[in-house]
Amino acid sequence: MQDAQVGWIAAIIIGGIAGWLAEKFMNSNMGVFMNIILGIVGAIISNAILSALHISLGGGWLAYLIAGFIGACILIAVGRLIRR
């Protein structure tokens, strides 16, 4: 999310919130550090997927939060598939 205009500290905070929301939505228990990682990496992955589909969420913290949530849910689902 290069055009999101979100700084590193804000990315960590928003990523943590997105990861936490995804954790609750997917009924998972990951921990605070993993929530942050899931939110940030999830935002990167979902932004790449949405860009490939020519879908734009816009910029700013709300778009980063939505992208992080979507991506974190995808990562949790993929993790569950791999574990089985």
Side-chain angles (χ1 to χ4, degrees):
M1 298 200 70
Q2 297 168 352
D3 62 339
Q5 303 299 323
V6 175
W8 284 103
I9 294 174
I12 292 170
I13 293 169
I14 296 168
I17 293 169
W20 178 78
L21 289 172
E23 177 185 60
K24 296 302 177 190
F25 182 75
M26 298 292 288
N27 198 20
S28 178
N29 188 14
M30 299 284 185
V32 175
F33 182 70
M34 195 62 175
N35 285 343
I36 294 170
I37 299 299
L38 281 173
I40 293 172
V41 173
I44 294 168
I45 290 172
S46 66
N47 187 46
I49 292 170
L50 293 173
S51 293
L53 297 173
H54 302 291
I55 299 172
S56 175
L57 294 177
W61 66 270
L62 185 58
Y64 193 86
L65 180 66
I66 293 168
F69 173 75
I70 293 169
C73 287
I74 291 170
L75 289 174
I76 291 171
V78 168
R80 286 180 180 170
L81 287 174
I82 292 172
R83 287 185 196 157
R84 289 184 183 173

